[in-house]
Amino acid sequence: NYELDIVLVGINHPGNLGAVCRAMLNHGFANLSLVNPECSIDDEEARNRAKHSGSILDSARIFNSLSDAVTDSSLVVGTSGKREVGSKILKRHFILPWEFAEKIRNIEGKVSLIFGEEGKGLSSEDLDLCDMLLTLPTWEGYPIANLSQAVGHCVYELHRDRIINGITIKGVIKNRGLTP
């Protein structure tokens, strides 16, 4: 029912950009938005890492602000590996990827899943634009995942949920000019 848009804020490594596209297509997702990217969709490394998902790079939408990127979204979800304690706990109440998949299963409209810049994550201002926050259940000793791995874990859980619940995706992918 939902249309997932992966939103990358300030991506600066072309290898990660290509790997994100590959992970997305591996799991049947094709909508990518870039906010102030610091690398090009035409970079050779991005294209090489994307392999057969280069069409995601070709159709990526580029924005100057996160608010512009999510203006037509029904639900905006930010991601972070920083799980706060103390006074920030109310602000940073996170759901896990499988909980997220369950919550959005029957949503109609566009769901934007936002990832921050490598090494920095999302700013407090970016997080303020979000309706909910998601975190990966990584080990506390090394909680911050690589950007492309974080996207991969999230799209895996969403696709897993579709498989378990018998939800087909072929129409969405074919409409984007891609084949599953």
Side-chain angles (χ1 to χ4, degrees):
N1 293 329
Y2 62 88
E3 175 187 353
L4 183 70
D5 187 29
I6 298 294
V7 181
L8 306 180
V9 177
I11 187 166
N12 58 44
H13 194 283
N16 272 339
L17 178 58
V20 163
C21 293
R22 189 167 183 168
M24 288 173 61
L25 192 57
N26 283 152
H27 297 95
F29 297 102
N31 296 329
L32 177 65
S33 294
L34 306 174
V35 177
N36 294 320
E38 296 183 22
C39 60
S40 171
I41 59 171
D42 295 319
D43 184 280
E44 184 178 359
E45 185 177 359
R47 293 285 166 171
N48 288 341
R49 288 273 180 98
K51 281 301 232 189
H52 301 293
S53 61
S55 55
I56 294 176
L57 291 171
D58 295 336
S59 62
R61 299 181 314 153
I62 299 176
F63 296 92
N64 292 322
S65 72
L66 180 57
S67 59
D68 288 343
V70 301
T71 192
D72 60 344
S73 297
S74 301
L75 182 66
V76 179
V77 181
T79 60
S80 179
K82 296 179 181 178
R83 297 177 286 269
E84 302 291 342
V85 295
S87 63
K88 290 187 178 181
I89 194 74
L90 292 176
K91 175 72 177 139
R92 295 210 177 186
H93 180 74
F94 291 98
I95 62 171
L96 297 168
W98 52 88
E99 295 170 327
F100 173 57
E102 184 178 328
K103 284 185 183 295
I104 69 168
R105 184 181 307 135
N106 296 314
I107 286 181
E108 294 198 20
K110 181 176 166 186
V111 175
S112 291
L113 184 56
I114 307 165
F115 296 84
E117 182 181 337
E118 301 101 320
K120 292 183 182 178
L122 294 171
S123 68
S124 293
E125 294 79 23
D126 291 341
L127 292 171
D128 285 341
L129 293 174
C130 299
D131 299 309
M132 65 176 58
L133 304 174
L134 180 146
T135 193
L136 296 175
T138 52
W139 175 56
E140 290 298 323
Y142 195 49
I144 308 301
N146 170 276
L147 173 63
S148 63
Q149 292 173 338
V151 172
H153 291 308
C154 291
V155 294
Y156 165 82
E157 280 297 333
L158 293 171
H159 185 58
R160 178 181 177 272
D161 185 74
R162 292 188 301 202
I163 291 170
I164 290 169
N165 290 286
I167 300 168
T168 182
I169 60 162
K170 290 185 179 183
V172 175
I173 299 300
K174 285 183 180 174
N175 289 340
R176 296 281 299 177
L178 303 170
T179 56

